[in-house]
Amino acid sequence: MSYSALVDFYCRVSIVVAVCFFLVISALIPSDVRAEVTKIVSHPVLITTPSGLERARERVKHHIWAQAIADRVALSAKRLESVQLPTFEKAWWDRARTKPWQQIYPEVNYYTMSAVAEPVKLALDAAVVYALTGNDYYAHLARKVLLHYTSYEFFAVHPDCGLNWSIWSLQALQAYDLIWEALSDTDRAKLDDFFARAYHAVRHNDDWWLRDMMGGLYNSHFAWHKLFIGSYGLFYNCPEIVEYAIRSDQGVQDLIEKGTRDDGLWLESSLNYHFTALAALVRLAAYMRNAGCKPDLWHYRFANGRSLRDLVFGPIQTLYPDRTVPTIGDTYGKRIRLTDLDSLYYLAYDVYKAPELAWLLEPNTDVPTEALFLDTLPEWLLEQRSPTKAITPASPNMRTRLWPEHGYIALRSEEGDDYWRGFGFSCFLSFDADGIHSHRDKFNLTAFARGVHVAVDAEASTTSGHAFSSPIQGELNRSTVCHNTVMVDGQDHRPVGRKLDLVEFVNGTDVKMATVADLQGQVYPGVRMMRTVAVTRDFLLDIFQVNSDAAHTYDYLFHSYSDDGAFVFENFEGKCGPVELNKQGPWKWLRDARAALISTDWSVRAAQRPVNIRFAMVGAPSTEVILCSFPRDDKFSPPPVPMLVARRTGNHAVFIVVLQAEKGPLSPLQTSVSPEKHARLRVCVKLGDNKWEFSIPKLE
């Protein structure tokens, strides 16, 4: 028996066993949570319904924004007139299968995703145009692609295959759903065979993940596996398959109950990856609703009150004033603006009709295709096209807050509606444990003030075809060098299995402050670390204390943005010359290093016009200050990201920093520190005529 035949036989046997298992236990599941699929009597049933299609057709006739969508999708679909459909190569796998799966990410990503996915997406666009217009030409374009893909063989074995196949196979299934009536029985038989093989392949990959857990429990890959599996079950009227997608190990129930933290944030130590999981879960909820399938995932409350609704709304409370998500963990150099994820949030608005979702969608005038079919759209969109009154959606009420399960803190000097002006100081501080997409970034700090990002997580983007496995991701971005924290002896932080300690949290009227610590030496054996961060309306204060029994080299690391890609010393008359950095590991990615030895107070400036930024540090004997260039991408495209290192050696160090930002001249600054009783430190910051005092824990 050939390898592919053996895989197919195993898949079919495992599916039969699983189906029998779910038939046996279904009687034990309460009827209100059991998957109940209404028999499909007409198509479409996934991305929309017959009534949704009628709604979309009417909108295209009467609304400019809907006409624009139809024109855009038709233009995309016509690309199929010139696109050459792929040849499904097999020889690559003969070479790749001889290597460990950890070494073949790029070729797997190319041959199971990049090389085959685009025509399917265009076929879905063509199917949408056919559904809107009834023009058989577009059905022909979609049919040609779908039948071509019936010769595709799902033979590769790699953790990413299930995700990749799920993405484009689902798009193919959606296209099939939309042109169903235009196909012959012979066409349908071929497509049914293809989708059965795709289903078996994804199930087989899902089973492998369940056995080996190569990406850990509650990984976002499982969400995409279950999305395709569940959609297949809906399309083919198989409630036991939908039940598997929801109730099996690492199914929707597990992912929502145990894959979320606090009020809905995903657990994988990367806020960007929240949306990888959310995109799959939202779409399955929408398709189940369209198919009349119970339970209603949009509103169902799982154990401990966990819900999909929390996953939808949770990220909003993390946003910076420019509506971007704080960059933490794997981001691949991409800063997500939540307004750009409108295809997810239009689906959510159709169900929840919440004002904060209307607010989130309002700035983006490029309305996604899915909006055509939805029953409820934001009032601002409808009023924009038929104006009778001005409508401004209510903005989310933002406050300083703590996410205790995750280990995140957002400090905000301006709150409520004023927060969204972006004038105040706000920061995001992490003390979380490590997950699958975490970095060596304990105590990491990012900040926003006066409308710009002033302290950044400087992850470089890659030109590699697969960012997760790219050299710069492994060598630089996941290293401690990439983050605003303290590094010991030039070595990365160790992975930590539990959150660091929250020592103090102050949520006052004028001062927002938090102290987090590693008192057990989790991050570096034998080294105790404590970071206190405070924000006021005028500045951010950062005090990082480090103690150890043995002498070490401590590097305080900081990254920001500047129009010219560099920090510039202020009022410094000493010598600053070129310096050689370590040529190993992440350090080899840094460029243009120059250093100065400084024992007094010092500062550097940067400019994001019209905002001027000052980073000022209280002096300490024999501090080596290194200014260098951090790469924006793996081609070192200009301008670089300005980076500085404040280096000290000994048994202890206290780094005291004030970060200022102003649209115009920066006020004169004086900072001092003195010991207090009961193991405290008093820090005094004088900014112009204003004086601020802070009492913080002293690291013993």
Side-chain angles (χ1 to χ4, degrees):
M1 184 180 291
S2 69
Y3 176 78
S4 60
L6 182 63
V7 169
D8 185 65
F9 173 76
Y10 171 81
C11 291
R12 293 176 186 273
V13 170
S14 66
I15 300 307
V16 171
V17 171
V19 168
C20 292
F21 172 74
F22 278 103
L23 289 174
V24 170
I25 69 166
S26 62
L28 303 178
I29 301 173
S31 60
D32 67 322
V33 297
R34 191 181 305 151
E36 298 178 7
V37 182
T38 302
K39 184 174 179 60
I40 297 173
V41 295
S42 62
H43 291 273
V45 72
L46 294 177
I47 63 175
T48 191
T49 62
S51 62
L53 267 183
E54 286 303 316
R55 187 182 304 117
R57 291 164 183 158
E58 286 300 309
R59 284 173 174 160
V60 171
K61 290 178 184 177
H62 298 107
H63 294 280
I64 296 174
W65 62 267
Q67 293 169 8
I69 293 175
D71 292 344
R72 183 181 70 215
V73 177
L75 185 64
S76 175
K78 284 187 176 180
R79 290 179 55 204
L80 285 173
E81 296 171 343
S82 58
V83 167
Q84 183 175 358
L85 298 181
T87 300
F88 303 128
E89 299 184 33
K90 299 179 182 179
W92 73 271
W93 180 242
D94 292 333
R95 300 185 297 270
R97 67 190 302 175
T98 63
K99 304 175 186 177
W101 63 259
Q102 294 88 343
Q103 298 178 13
I104 60 173
Y105 273 103
E107 48 263 62
V108 166
N109 181 69
Y110 178 76
Y111 286 105
T112 68
M113 188 65 183
S114 301
V116 296
E118 184 182 22
V120 178
K121 172 60 174 66
L122 298 179
L124 177 55
D125 289 340
V128 168
V129 179
Y130 168 74
L132 291 174
T133 65
N135 187 332
D136 290 337
Y137 176 69
Y138 290 97
H140 166 73
L141 289 176
R143 173 186 176 274
K144 179 181 177 181
V145 174
L146 295 181
L147 291 180
H148 178 80
Y149 276 72
T150 58
S151 66
Y152 185 89
E153 296 182 44
F154 300 91
F155 52 78
V157 179
H158 188 273
D160 272 10
C161 285
L163 170 66
N164 294 345
W165 289 334
S166 292
I167 291 171
W168 61 261
S169 293
L170 177 60
Q171 291 177 334
L173 187 63
Q174 292 166 338
Y176 182 21
D177 191 26
L178 289 169
I179 66 167
W180 169 271
E181 63 182 21
L183 299 172
S184 67
D185 289 343
T186 301
D187 290 342
R188 292 172 188 164
K190 291 179 180 178
L191 289 170
D192 291 344
D193 174 74
F194 166 78
F195 287 114
R197 290 188 292 108
Y199 166 65
H200 294 321
V202 173
R203 274 295 302 267
H204 178 61
N205 190 265
D206 196 59
D207 289 343
W208 181 27
W209 271 79
L210 289 169
R211 286 194 312 273
D212 290 4
M213 286 295 171
M214 62 283 284
L217 289 167
Y218 321 118
N219 193 288
S220 53
H221 278 245
F222 286 116
W224 280 91
H225 300 169
K226 300 312 193 291
L227 169 59
F228 177 70
I229 290 168
S231 300
Y232 179 88
L234 292 170
F235 187 88
Y236 287 101
N237 296 293
C238 298
E240 69 278 5
I241 293 178
V242 180
E243 187 69 39
Y244 175 85
I246 298 171
R247 303 294 175 186
S248 67
D249 189 7
Q250 306 304 295
V252 171
Q253 177 175 344
D254 273 356
L255 296 177
I256 292 178
E257 287 183 354
K258 305 177 184 70
T260 56
R261 299 287 182 267
D262 299 292
D263 54 359
L265 297 186
W266 192 246
L267 85 164
E268 290 186 289
S269 295
S270 165
L271 291 178
N272 280 26
Y273 268 88
H274 178 101
F275 304 100
T276 305
L278 181 63
L281 296 172
V282 158
R283 287 185 169 90
L284 183 56
Y287 302 161
M288 289 177 66
R289 185 182 187 224
N290 288 339
C293 178
K294 297 179 180 179
D296 176 4
L297 293 183
W298 288 112
H299 295 100
Y300 194 83
R301 284 281 170 182
F302 294 95
N304 302 329
R306 303 291 194 190
S307 70
L308 177 58
R309 191 184 196 282
D310 290 342
L311 278 158
V312 169
F313 286 86
I316 296 175
Q317 289 298 316
T318 71
L319 296 181
Y320 276 125
D322 62 351
R323 308 189 193 200
T324 59
V325 177
T327 50
I328 186 166
D330 280 337
T331 68
Y332 314 113
K334 300 184 185 303
R335 186 183 299 278
I336 289 180
R337 190 179 302 274
L338 209 54
T339 51
D340 294 337
L341 301 177
D342 52 3
S343 61
L344 300 183
Y345 283 99
Y346 269 101
L347 292 172
Y349 183 83
D350 185 41
V351 177
Y352 300 125
K353 304 171 180 59
E356 55 262 55
L357 297 184
W359 168 88
L360 187 66
L361 295 168
E362 192 265 342
N364 196 343
T365 57
D366 190 14
V367 183
T369 304
E370 292 92 332
L372 283 175
F373 309 110
L374 301 177
D375 180 51
T376 305
L377 294 174
E379 289 185 32
W380 66 263
L381 178 61
L382 301 177
E383 292 293 334
Q384 178 184 348
R385 309 311 172 186
S386 302
T388 59
K389 57 181 179 178
I391 293 179
T392 302
S395 59
N397 184 21
M398 304 296 281
R399 302 287 175 187
T400 287
R401 62 162 303 164
L402 165 69
W403 290 267
E405 286 185 89
H406 236 312
Y408 296 153
I409 300 169
L411 303 176
R412 291 154 177 160
S413 67
E414 288 193 332
E415 299 181 315
D417 290 340
D418 288 343
Y419 176 75
W420 300 109
R421 297 189 308 154
F423 183 77
F425 277 78
S426 56
C427 71
F428 198 83
L429 175 64
S430 168
F431 61 104
D432 66 331
D434 284 307
I436 184 65
H437 288 290
S438 63
H439 290 180
R440 306 286 79 83
D441 63 349
K442 301 307 103 181
F443 301 97
N444 192 47
L445 175 69
T446 59
F448 187 96
R450 306 311 191 241
V452 300
H453 294 271
V454 293
V456 302
D457 211 40
E459 195 166 340
S461 61
T462 180
T463 54
S464 169
H466 190 260
F468 178 83
S469 63
S470 64
I472 202 167
Q473 193 67 19
E475 295 173 6
L476 177 64
N477 288 340
R478 295 192 181 107
S479 76
T480 305
V481 165
C482 181
H483 305 286
N484 298 322
T485 184
V486 165
M487 193 176 202
V488 178
D489 295 331
Q491 301 299 309
D492 280 344
H493 292 177
R494 293 197 312 171
V496 300
R498 57 175 292 272
K499 295 191 303 291
L500 306 183
D501 297 317
L502 176 62
V503 178
E504 286 187 359
F505 182 66
V506 176
N507 189 6
T509 302
D510 297 323
V511 173
K512 317 291 183 177
M513 185 165 64
T515 298
V516 295
D518 173 21
L519 304 178
Q520 289 76 40
Q522 283 195 91
V523 179
Y524 291 107
V527 179
R528 299 175 300 284
M529 311 176 79
M530 179 183 289
R531 186 169 210 167
T532 299
V533 179
V535 297
T536 74
R537 66 177 184 271
D538 293 326
F539 60 87
L540 179 149
L541 173 66
D542 181 26
I543 304 102
F544 208 129
Q545 305 174 65
V546 193
N547 279 357
S548 58
D549 295 330
H552 294 280
T553 297
Y554 306 112
D555 289 343
Y556 179 104
L557 310 172
F558 182 77
H559 313 74
S560 187
Y561 292 140
S562 183
D563 294 338
D564 60 4
F567 286 126
V568 177
F569 276 116
E570 273 193 312
N571 303 319
F572 176 67
E573 299 179 356
K575 181 180 179 181
C576 181
V579 63
E580 286 290 327
L581 298 177
N582 192 333
K583 296 298 183 183
Q584 304 299 315
W587 296 95
K588 69 183 181 183
W589 289 91
L590 307 182
R591 297 286 188 272
D592 306 320
R594 55 205 187 282
L597 198 62
I598 307 175
S599 297
T600 57
D601 295 356
W602 59 276
S603 61
V604 296
R605 294 183 69 159
Q608 299 177 50
R609 295 176 181 84
V611 178
N612 294 309
I613 302 164
R614 172 187 285 143
F615 173 100
M617 180 173 283
V618 174
S622 302
T623 299
E624 184 182 17
V625 180
I626 302 169
L627 307 183
C628 58
S629 298
F630 188 99
R632 188 174 293 271
D633 56 36
D634 56 7
K635 299 301 183 185
F636 298 93
S637 301
V641 175
M643 176 180 172
L644 68 81
V645 181
R647 177 171 292 170
R648 298 174 188 169
T649 302
N651 294 77
H652 68 276
V654 180
F655 299 96
I656 302 175
V657 171
V658 174
L659 190 60
Q660 295 173 257
E662 294 294 346
K663 293 182 177 180
L666 293 162
S667 299
L669 170 71
Q670 291 181 340
T671 308
S672 60
V673 59
S674 58
E676 268 195 320
K677 55 183 178 294
H678 308 307
R680 311 277 301 177
L681 293 175
R682 181 169 292 268
V683 179
C684 178
V685 178
K686 187 176 181 182
L687 200 62
D689 296 330
N690 297 314
K691 182 179 180 181
W692 303 77
E693 292 190 352
F694 304 85
S695 176
I696 69 167
K698 180 182 178 182
L699 182 61
E700 298 280 74

